[in-house]
Amino acid sequence: MTKYKKMILSLILVIGVIFLGVFGNNISAQTSANNRIPVVFWHEMGGPAEKTLLKLVNDFNKSQTKYQVIPKYQGSYDTAIQKIFQTHGTNTSPAVFQSSNVSTAQVLHSGFTTPIQKFVDADNYDLSKISPVARAFHAQGGKQQAMPFNTSQPVLYYNATLLEKYGITPPSVSPTYSEITKIAKELYEKSNHQVKGMTVQIYGWLLEEAIANNGGMFTNRNDGHTGNPTKVSINNPEAIEFFKWIRENIKNGDFMDYGAGSMASTNQTSGFLTNKVGMYVQSSASMSQLNKKNKNKLGVTYFPHADGKKANGVSIGGAALWISNDKPKEIQQGAYEFIKYTVRPEVQAQWQKSTGYMALNKDSKDTKILQQFYAKHPEGKIPSQQLQNTVPNFGNSGILLEGMQSIRKLEENAMEKIYRGGDIEKTLQQNEDAINEIVYNQNRANGYK
Amino acid sequence: MLKTSTTNVVPEKKVEAKNKTKFRLTANDKYYASIFAGPSLFLLGLFTFYPMFRTLYISMFLTNTFGNTTLFVGLENYVKLVTSPDFVSSMWVTLVYVVGVTFFTIAMGLLLANLASQKLPGIAIFRTLYSVTMGVSVSVAAIFWLFIFNPSAGFFTLLTKLLHLPTVNWLSNPTMAMWAIIITTVWMHLGFVFLVFLGAIESVPTTLYEAADVEGVSKHYQFFHITLPMISPTLFFISTITIIGSFKSFGLIDLITKGGPTNATNMLVYRIYNDAFFGGNYAKSSAEAIILTIIIAFFTYLQFKFLEKKVNY
Amino acid sequence: MSTLITNVCKQYDNNQGKTVLSNVSAEIETGEFFVIVGPSGCGKSTLLRMIAGLTEITDGEIAIDGKVVNNLPPKDRNLTMVFQSYALFPFLSVWDNVAFGLKARKHDQAEVSERVNNALKMVNLEDLKDRKPRELSGGQRQRVALARAVASDAKICLMDEPLSNLDAQLRIKMRQEIYALQRKLGITLIYVTHDQVEAMTMADHIMVLHDSKVQQIGTPTEIYKNPANEFVASFFGVPPINIMYASKVGAHSIKVNNDYQLDLDQAVTENELKVGIRPNEMIVEKAEELQSNATVQNVEFLGDEKIVHAKFNNGVMVSAIVPSDTEFDMFETVKITSTGNVLLFSQDGINITENKGGLVNA
C-alpha cells in the first residue's frame, strides 16, 4: 500500500513539474499577446525601491496602450553592466536599461546606445525642467546621452535631538569642515564620551565628492568631459584638506571608524540610529530609511566644504536610463516614451517620497505629493535645494572615466590607510600611482589616446 | 582481451616485474579504451583544459572594456603582478590564512575527535554537536559570525564589556579581521574534519593502546606516538584538502570582510574575482589565476614529495 | 612472584548481567608456564585481560606477589603482554617496535639499545631489525612481539593465543621457541589458548575453563590421565576420547554401548554410567558380518598409524588408532572391543575411576 502511495506521489510531482513548465510558458507568452510592443527594461533596484519601481512601470503600462514595459531585476550595478555588454546584439538584451553613473564612460564608449537627444529633438521635449547638474553627467557636447533616473547627492545627516539635548547649535546650511569639527568635539565631550561626534564612511564616492565640492578635478581633461582622461589626481590640495579634517577629528577622539567591510554601512546606520555617533555623511537616498526607523529628529544639511572657500557643489550619484541601439525603431521609441514618463513631475515626486532619491523635475516640488511630504519632513527639502543651487561645471558634473570600480577600491584603500594613521600625502601618492597604472593600461587596451 | 595476460612460469617474485615490461596494448584494447575514456576526456577537455588554456592565453594580452583581448603584451601582466607590492601582500595574506586555517583546523579537529572517541556516557551528543557545522551553508555561517563580530551588539563585544576588557573591533582592525576570517573558516571546516578524524581514530586497533598501557606508556605519549602515526594517511588527506580548499576560499571573505580592512584579508581568489567581475580587468585576473594555480600545484607537489612517503606504512 | 587468583567473577553490565567468569581461583607459581585452555567463549581471554588490568574485575581478588592489584593500572603490575594480533606498530621498524615501551618510559638511551639488541638476538631477528612489520612473515611478526615482551624485563608475561594466526608447521616451531624462551628467561608465563596440543606440550600447569567455570587445574599428565570430568577428558587427546554409555553387568564388569562386555580392575558402583576409552585403547579386528558389531566409515593414514572411524551397529561413532600396516577398507565389517584401561564417569560426567582420581577441582 505504502509502495503505491509513494509511486502516486512521485507521479503527481512529475506531472506537476510538466504542467508548471507548460503554464510558465503560457504566462510569459501572454504578455506579448495583447498587441502591445514589448519593451524589456533591465534595472538594479532591490528592496523597497524595487517595489516603487514596479508600481511606476505598472502605472506607465496602464497610462497607454501601445507599449508594454517588462521590468527585469539584474542584481548589482557592477554585475549588471557586464551582462549588458555581453548580451548586446542578442535577443536577450534589454531595450532600455538602468546603469550606474560610475559606468557612464563605459556605456558611452561602447556605442551600444542611441542618444536620448535624438528622441528629445524629434519630440520637442523641454529638457530644461530636468536638473542641470544631473543632466550634465550624461551629456556630451551639449547632447543628452541618457536620462538621469534615480539620483542622489551626499549630504550630512545629524541627530537633531541629541544636539538639542546637549545645547549644541546645529550646523549651518552649507557647513565648513571646522564647523563640523567643533560640533563633533562638543558632542563628544558634552555626552561624556558616550556619543562619538562624526564618521565618514570609507567609500571612494565621498572622496570624489569632497574633491568636487572644493573645486578640484579628479582627472585631467576636465574630469573626462573634454576627452578621455589619461591621468587621475587624488594627491591634490582638495583631498589633503579633506583628510586633514578627518584626521583632526580622529585625534580629538570624536571620530567613529566603522571600517571598510561589507557591514560598515549597516553598522554606521545603526550607530547613528542608536545614538552612538552624532553626524555622518551619506547619500541623500538614505533619507527615507532614516525617517522610517528614527526615534530622534533627523537633521540634514549640505556636504561640508573647506574653510575660506565657497562650496562648488557636489555631483550626483545613482543611475541613469539608456536606450539600446540593437532594437527596432518602434521599440526604441517605446523606451523613450517610458523614460519620458519617469521624469514627469508627479512621478518624480512620488519617487522621491518613497525612495529618498531626489526628484529631478523642477515642477515636482509644487506637486501635492511633495508639498505634503515637506510639511511633515521639512528636512527633506535640503537635498533638493543643494541639487538646485549647484551651478554645473566640469568639476561637479561627474567623472567620465572607465574602470571606476577598481579605481574606487584603490581610493578606499588610501582612505582606510589614512584613517589608521598612514601619512596622508605618501598614501595618496602611492594609490594615485596605482590608479594611473590602471588608467594607462585600460587606455592602451582600448586604444584610447 | 586475454591476449595481454602472459602466462609466466617464472619464480613467483619476478611475476610482477615481468608483467610490467610485457604489458602492451593491442589495437583491440586501444579501441575499447577510447570508447570508455572518450566521453570523459571530451568533457574534461571542454570544461577543464579549454578554460585553462584560454586563461593562459588571455593572461598574455590586455583586455578592453568588453573583456576582449586587444593587445599582446607577453609576460607583462605577470611581471607587473609580482613586482606590485599590493599583489605580493595579497600572496602573503593568503599564505598566512592558509597556514592558519590548516593548522587550527587540524589541531581543533584532532582535539575534538580525540575527546569524542572516548567511551563515555552521553558522548554521542557531543559527536553530533561537533559535526553539526557540516550542514551549515557559507551564507548562514557568515550571518551568524557577523553577528558575533558586530562591534556594537556582537557577542564578543558583550563578552568583553562584561569582563571590562577593551572592545576589539574585529572587522576594522587588519590583524583581528584576519583572525576573524580564520576562526570562521576553521569553524566551517571543523564538522567534516572532525568526522573524518573520528573515523580514523576509531579504526586504530585497540590492542595497540592496550599493548602500550601494559608497557606503561602515558596517554599523552600514546596520542602522539600511536594515534597520530596511525592516522597519518588521514592527516595527509585532510591537510591536502584543507590547504587547497583554503587557497580557494571565497564565500566567507566576500560575505564577512570583502577583502578589507586595507586589503588585510584580500586573498588571491578574492582578488581574481574582483579584478575580473568587479573591475572588468580580465587580463590581470587571468594572470593572477595562473599564478594561483602554480602556487597550489607547487604546494600539492611538496606535500606529495615530502609527506606521502612518511604516511604510507 | 606468585600470582594468586581468588574467587574472581566477571559480569558485563550491558549484556543483561551475563556471567563470563564465576568463582575462578588458581595459584600460579613464579617461573612456571601456566596455560589457560578452553573452547572459544569460555572466558579465558577475559581472565587474562583481568590479570593484565585491561578489564575490570567484578568480584574476587587478584594478587601478584602478595599485593592485591585489583585497582592498579596495567603499567603498575610489572607485566608484559603478547596479543593475538601481535599489536605491532605498522609505522615503526622492528627495532623501534621493540624499543617503543622502553623509550616511552624514558629509559636511558644506552640501556634501551642494549635491551632491544639482546631481545632481538634472543628471537633471531637481528638481521631484520630495520624492516617494517608489513615486510615480515607471520612467524617473524610473532617473534617481534616476543622480543618486545623480552625487552620489557617484566617478570610476568601474558600471552593471548599468540600462535593462532600461524600455519601448522610454524605453530609447532614457535611453540618450541616460546617454551625455550620461557625456560631461558625464567619468567612466569601465563598463556591463553584454545588448542589443547599447545597446552599439553608447553604447560607446567593447565587450567581448563568451560562454561565460565574452572573444570580442572593440573599438570598435563594429571589432566590427561585423571581428567576431572567428561569435558576435560574429551577436550584433550587427538582424536578425542570415545565416550559411550555402559551398564553394570557384574561387580567388576560392564557392558559397553550395550555391545561388548569389559572386565575391570575396580568395582563398579553404579548401574548406569559412561565410559571413556582413548582411541589407542580400542581394538579393531576384521570380522565376518555375523560376528561383527561395527562398520568402518573412514580410514585416515597418519604415517606410523591409522585412525579408523567406525560406526557401531546401533549408530554410535568411535575412533580407534591401529598400526599402519593393518588394512581396513571403507564399509568393511569389523569387531570392536577395547582394553580394560578405561575411564569411568557418572551419568552427569564426573570421573568415578578408582585409585586414579586425586585432583578433583570442579
Side-chain angles (χ1 to χ4, degrees):
Chain A
M1 194 58 208
T2 46
K3 210 175 165 185
Y4 281 111
K5 263 188 195 163
K6 265 186 190 168
M7 267 176 67
I8 289 166
L9 239 149
S10 48
L11 209 70
I12 288 171
L13 216 75
V14 169
I15 292 170
V17 169
I18 292 169
F19 263 80
L20 208 74
V22 171
F23 271 103
N25 261 340
N26 280 349
I27 288 162
S28 63
Q30 266 170 8
T31 44
S32 51
N34 50 13
N35 292 327
R36 287 175 175 229
I37 297 166
V39 178
V40 175
F41 169 40
W42 282 12
H43 70 89
E44 294 94 51
M45 296 275 93
E50 183 177 18
K51 242 177 162 175
T52 313
L53 181 64
L54 291 180
K55 188 173 177 300
L56 190 159
V57 170
N58 208 19
D59 289 347
F60 170 73
N61 286 338
K62 274 191 216 153
S63 74
Q64 42 74 46
T65 51
K66 201 168 172 198
Y67 307 104
Q68 179 79 21
V69 171
I70 304 157
K72 285 185 175 166
Y73 177 63
Q74 295 299 326
S76 79
Y77 285 140
D78 298 314
T79 51
I81 192 66
Q82 305 278 354
K83 279 191 235 173
I84 289 161
F85 286 154
Q86 301 301 334
T87 56
H88 187 76
T90 69
N91 50 13
T92 45
S93 74
V96 53
F97 61 87
Q98 182 193 20
S99 167
S100 160
N101 290 351
V102 172
S103 310
T104 302
Q106 263 147 297
V107 184
L108 274 176
H109 292 155
S110 72
F112 288 171
T113 59
T114 309
I116 216 155
Q117 188 73 43
K118 213 180 112 184
F119 301 94
V120 168
D121 290 347
D123 195 32
N124 279 325
Y125 182 79
D126 182 13
L127 277 177
S128 67
K129 290 279 182 193
I130 311 301
S131 158
V133 185
R135 270 190 289 132
F137 204 146
H138 306 288
Q140 241 191 357
K143 288 193 188 305
Q144 201 61 37
Q145 304 290 318
M147 186 64 87
F149 175 56
N150 54 316
T151 302
S152 61
Q153 280 191 325
V155 291
L156 181 92
Y157 293 108
Y158 60 89
N159 188 330
T161 308
L162 268 185
L163 293 190
E164 211 170 307
K165 180 180 164 193
Y166 294 112
I168 303 166
T169 323
S172 63
V173 172
S174 180
T176 60
Y177 288 160
S178 62
E179 195 185 335
I180 300 303
T181 306
K182 191 173 148 269
I183 297 171
K185 199 175 167 186
E186 263 186 295
L187 182 58
Y188 183 59
E189 298 301 339
K190 286 187 175 169
S191 70
N192 217 353
H193 297 192
Q194 288 304 300
V195 184
K196 293 271 191 179
M198 64 173 283
T199 183
V200 175
Q201 197 194 334
I202 296 174
Y203 183 14
W205 185 50
L206 298 179
L207 171 59
E208 291 156 25
E209 294 288 18
I211 294 172
N213 200 26
N214 289 296
M217 287 283 175
F218 189 74
T219 77
N220 65 351
R221 296 186 174 163
N222 294 316
D223 273 357
H225 290 280
T226 57
N228 188 60
T230 54
K231 210 125 196 74
V232 165
S233 138
I234 56 169
N235 188 13
N236 56 31
E238 291 78 21
I240 293 169
E241 241 167 331
F242 173 67
F243 284 119
K244 277 187 175 157
W245 169 53
I246 289 168
R247 282 283 276 270
E248 193 184 345
N249 280 286
I250 293 174
K251 208 183 77 197
N252 290 345
D254 62 45
F255 189 88
M256 184 81 168
D257 183 357
Y258 282 102
S262 56
M263 294 301 278
S265 168
T266 312
N267 288 341
Q268 178 182 265
T269 309
S270 74
F272 180 75
L273 291 174
T274 54
N275 295 347
K276 294 214 167 60
V277 61
M279 291 183 283
Y280 80 119
V281 177
Q282 189 53 283
S283 159
S284 57
S286 307
M287 198 166 357
S288 65
Q289 188 196 355
L290 288 176
N291 268 330
K292 227 172 263 168
K293 297 179 185 166
N294 207 342
K295 284 174 292 185
N296 299 310
K297 209 167 145 276
L298 181 68
V300 183
T301 190
Y302 292 8
F303 191 85
H305 60 87
D307 294 70
K309 262 187 191 169
K310 197 180 166 291
N312 183 40
V314 283
S315 71
I316 56 162
L321 300 180
W322 301 75
I323 300 173
S324 298
N325 61 11
D326 63 346
K327 293 283 177 284
K329 224 171 164 186
E330 68 269 23
I331 294 184
Q332 292 196 31
Q333 187 62 39
Y336 168 70
E337 295 297 337
F338 171 63
I339 289 174
K340 204 168 81 179
Y341 177 84
T342 61
V343 289
R344 283 188 188 182
E346 58 290 353
V347 173
Q348 282 290 316
Q350 184 60 45
W351 182 243
Q352 169 169 355
K353 190 190 161 203
S354 323
T355 64
Y357 287 108
M358 291 176 296
L360 292 171
N361 197 308
K362 284 178 180 165
D363 295 337
S364 292
K365 65 175 191 295
D366 302 324
T367 59
K368 230 167 127 188
I369 304 166
L370 277 188
Q371 289 291 330
Q372 282 172 349
F373 176 70
Y374 288 155
K376 212 170 152 196
H377 297 283
E379 76 281 357
K381 263 189 255 180
I382 307 284
S384 302
Q385 273 174 20
Q386 184 180 231
L387 183 71
Q388 275 167 29
N389 291 345
T390 305
V391 184
N393 55 37
F394 288 137
N396 61 21
S397 297
I399 302 159
L400 294 180
L401 173 62
E402 290 193 17
M404 282 304 288
Q405 291 90 343
S406 314
I407 291 168
R408 269 197 185 157
K409 280 244 151 191
L410 289 166
E411 291 173 49
E412 283 154 16
N413 197 338
M415 291 177 88
E416 199 169 8
K417 273 189 186 144
I418 292 170
Y419 282 21
R420 307 285 147 68
D423 182 81
I424 296 176
E425 289 182 40
K426 227 173 96 187
T427 311
L428 286 176
Q429 190 59 49
Q430 272 171 4
N431 284 277
E432 183 180 302
D433 291 346
I435 291 171
N436 280 321
E437 172 82 30
I438 292 179
V439 173
Y440 169 71
N441 269 327
Q442 76 193 18
N443 285 344
R444 210 153 54 112
N446 285 299
Y448 301 148
K449 291 281 166 358
Chain B
M1 298 305 283
L2 280 170
K3 282 174 209 162
T4 49
S5 66
T6 49
T7 44
N8 279 297
V9 201
V10 285
E12 244 183 277
K13 273 180 198 164
K14 286 185 182 167
V15 170
E16 205 183 319
K18 204 93 183 180
N19 266 344
K20 243 181 215 166
T21 52
K22 283 211 171 171
F23 189 76
R24 293 265 190 282
L25 284 176
T26 65
N28 205 21
D29 287 341
K30 281 175 186 163
Y31 169 69
Y32 279 108
S34 57
I35 285 183
F36 283 119
S40 61
L41 278 179
F42 173 74
L43 289 176
L44 210 66
L46 191 64
F47 293 110
T48 305
F49 295 123
Y50 171 70
M52 233 166 82
F53 286 109
R54 178 79 189 151
T55 307
L56 191 65
Y57 174 83
I58 293 174
S59 74
M60 298 207 246
F61 283 82
L62 290 183
T63 49
N64 67 7
T65 311
F66 313 108
N68 303 320
T69 53
T70 48
L71 192 67
F72 180 77
V73 292
L75 294 176
E76 188 188 305
N77 287 324
Y78 292 94
V79 174
K80 277 198 177 136
L81 280 178
V82 295
T83 53
S84 128
D86 207 32
F87 183 75
V88 173
S89 99
S90 238
M91 291 219 276
W92 278 115
V93 163
T94 311
L95 197 71
V96 168
Y97 172 75
V98 167
V99 170
V101 166
T102 309
F103 175 80
F104 287 109
T105 304
I106 290 179
M108 287 296 292
L110 274 179
L111 180 75
L112 294 184
N114 198 38
L115 287 176
S117 68
Q118 313 294 322
K119 307 257 179 303
L120 294 171
I123 202 77
I125 297 165
F126 288 93
R127 290 182 177 200
T128 316
L129 273 182
Y130 294 157
S131 53
V132 90
T133 66
M134 225 170 56
V136 176
S137 74
V138 173
S139 46
V140 172
I143 291 168
F144 170 70
W145 281 95
L146 274 173
F147 174 72
I148 289 180
F149 292 133
N150 186 307
S152 27
F155 171 77
F156 277 139
T157 313
L158 298 180
L159 196 73
T160 46
K161 267 186 189 155
L162 207 69
L163 300 171
H164 297 287
L165 292 169
T167 323
V168 177
N169 209 338
W170 281 91
L171 299 178
S172 58
N173 174 320
T175 319
M176 294 321 286
M178 175 57 92
W179 276 111
I181 285 286
I182 290 179
I183 290 171
T184 316
T185 316
V186 168
W187 184 83
M188 279 293 293
H189 286 182
L190 208 52
F192 172 73
V193 170
F194 161 76
L195 270 193
V196 175
F197 278 148
L198 184 65
I201 288 177
E202 304 245 287
S203 67
V204 177
T206 42
T207 50
L208 292 186
Y209 297 110
E210 288 173 352
D213 275 341
V214 170
E215 293 223 35
V217 178
S218 70
K219 291 285 178 206
H220 182 255
Y221 193 92
Q222 286 183 23
F223 177 75
F224 284 101
H225 290 83
I226 300 176
T227 311
L228 279 192
M230 283 306 285
I231 66 167
S232 57
T234 309
L235 269 174
F236 176 72
F237 164 72
I238 288 292
S239 71
T240 308
I241 64 160
T242 310
I243 286 179
I244 294 177
S246 38
F247 263 118
K248 301 200 295 188
S249 248
F250 174 82
L252 283 176
I253 296 159
D254 187 46
L255 290 163
I256 292 183
T257 62
K258 289 216 176 296
T262 52
N263 286 332
T265 58
N266 198 3
M267 319 293 170
L268 288 178
V269 166
Y270 195 63
R271 178 175 279 272
I272 291 168
Y273 162 79
N274 263 332
D275 282 336
F277 303 111
F278 187 75
N281 195 339
Y282 294 98
K284 187 181 176 194
S285 79
S286 294
E288 287 165 343
I290 296 290
I291 292 178
L292 177 65
T293 310
I294 292 170
I295 293 175
I296 294 182
F298 176 70
F299 266 86
T300 315
Y301 167 78
L302 278 189
Q303 277 188 307
F304 274 90
K305 189 168 163 67
F306 294 110
L307 288 174
E308 204 204 12
K309 278 184 204 150
K310 294 196 176 170
V311 298
N312 274 339
Y313 46 76
Chain C
M1 281 288 247
S2 70
T3 306
L4 203 61
I5 301 167
T6 321
N7 296 327
V8 162
C9 299
K10 179 70 194 174
Q11 280 172 333
Y12 283 114
D13 310 329
N14 53 0
N15 213 346
Q16 287 119 30
K18 190 192 166 226
T19 303
V20 180
L21 288 172
S22 82
N23 281 319
V24 172
S25 297
E27 187 179 353
I28 300 162
E29 276 161 38
T30 303
E32 81 164 321
F33 200 128
F34 190 86
V35 174
I36 303 169
V37 72
S40 56
C42 70
K44 57 192 186 300
S45 284
T46 308
L47 179 59
L48 193 75
R49 292 172 59 85
M50 284 158 86
I51 298 170
L54 297 171
T55 299
E56 230 177 286
I57 300 163
T58 308
D59 203 2
E61 217 176 73
I62 293 178
I64 297 174
D65 209 17
K67 188 176 167 195
V68 176
V69 295
N70 281 30
N71 293 318
L72 281 188
K75 67 185 170 76
D76 295 331
R77 300 189 182 194
N78 191 24
L79 40 79
T80 176
M81 187 159 174
V82 175
F83 292 84
Q84 182 174 1
S85 61
Y86 315 141
L88 299 185
F89 303 111
F91 48 87
L92 293 180
S93 69
V94 166
W95 199 94
D96 288 324
N97 256 293
V98 177
F100 185 84
L102 300 174
K103 274 187 181 168
R105 274 174 291 161
K106 305 228 158 52
H107 277 284
D108 174 56
Q109 183 80 43
E111 191 196 341
V112 173
S113 296
E114 196 196 322
R115 280 218 233 163
V116 173
N117 289 335
N118 282 343
L120 287 176
K121 198 183 282 176
M122 211 162 283
V123 297
N124 288 323
L125 273 182
E126 296 151 290
D127 298 338
L128 305 177
K129 67 180 164 60
D130 294 325
R131 293 232 189 138
K132 292 274 170 69
R134 72 184 143 91
E135 297 164 322
L136 299 177
S137 68
Q140 287 163 339
R141 285 180 208 185
Q142 171 65 67
R143 281 200 217 134
V144 179
L146 288 180
R148 197 155 66 182
V150 170
S152 89
D153 216 20
K155 286 291 161 246
I156 299 173
C157 180
L158 311 178
M159 294 193 184
D160 188 3
E161 308 230 17
L163 303 181
S164 58
N165 289 346
L166 302 180
D167 62 58
Q169 296 279 326
L170 211 53
R171 215 177 292 173
I172 293 168
K173 190 164 170 255
M174 288 311 296
R175 214 155 71 194
Q176 291 160 355
E177 284 188 25
I178 290 175
Y179 183 76
L181 208 61
Q182 187 265 338
R183 283 289 180 264
K184 198 157 153 193
L185 297 171
I187 54 173
T188 309
L189 185 55
I190 306 175
Y191 185 109
V192 161
T193 182
H194 65 270
D195 183 349
Q196 51 95 9
V197 180
E198 281 176 26
M200 295 297 278
T201 49
M202 297 194 284
D204 292 320
H205 282 100
I206 297 174
M207 172 196 274
V208 186
L209 270 180
H210 179 53
D211 273 350
S212 61
K213 287 188 192 72
V214 175
Q215 304 293 323
Q216 187 172 3
I217 295 175
T219 63
T221 321
E222 284 166 350
I223 298 256
Y224 189 76
K225 296 279 186 206
N226 300 313
N229 54 37
E230 186 189 332
F231 172 79
V232 176
S234 47
F235 194 76
F236 292 90
V238 184
I241 193 166
N242 300 302
I243 303 281
M244 287 173 282
Y245 283 97
S247 48
K248 182 177 177 178
V249 289
H252 286 271
S253 64
I254 54 173
K255 189 156 199 184
V256 178
N257 196 27
N258 205 14
D259 193 294
Y260 66 91
Q261 192 169 325
L262 197 61
D263 294 327
L264 303 172
D265 298 338
Q266 70 170 102
V268 181
T269 52
E270 300 190 20
N271 287 331
E272 297 297 326
L273 66 167
K274 284 180 186 174
V275 61
I277 312 167
R278 299 274 177 205
N280 53 355
E281 305 294 341
M282 301 297 295
I283 301 164
V284 187
E285 297 160 303
K286 288 180 187 275
E288 291 300 320
E289 190 157 0
L290 283 175
Q291 276 81 49
S292 72
N293 61 355
T295 320
V296 174
Q297 296 291 309
N298 194 11
V299 182
E300 290 172 28
F301 179 69
L302 293 180
D304 286 341
E305 51 201 20
K306 281 179 179 169
I307 299 172
V308 175
H309 299 279
K311 196 189 213 170
F312 275 115
N313 288 346
N314 62 357
V316 174
M317 291 290 305
V318 287
S319 312
I321 293 178
V322 297
S324 64
D325 50 2
T326 49
E327 286 290 338
F328 289 106
D329 291 326
M330 269 167 82
F331 306 116
E332 199 175 344
T333 50
V334 287
K335 173 145 184 77
I336 294 181
T337 52
S338 66
T339 67
N341 188 12
V342 297
L343 297 168
L344 298 184
F345 301 101
S346 68
Q347 271 191 347
D348 38 3
I350 294 166
N351 192 345
I352 49 169
T353 318
E354 243 179 35
N355 296 331
K356 294 183 177 171
L359 234 163
V360 179
N361 218 341

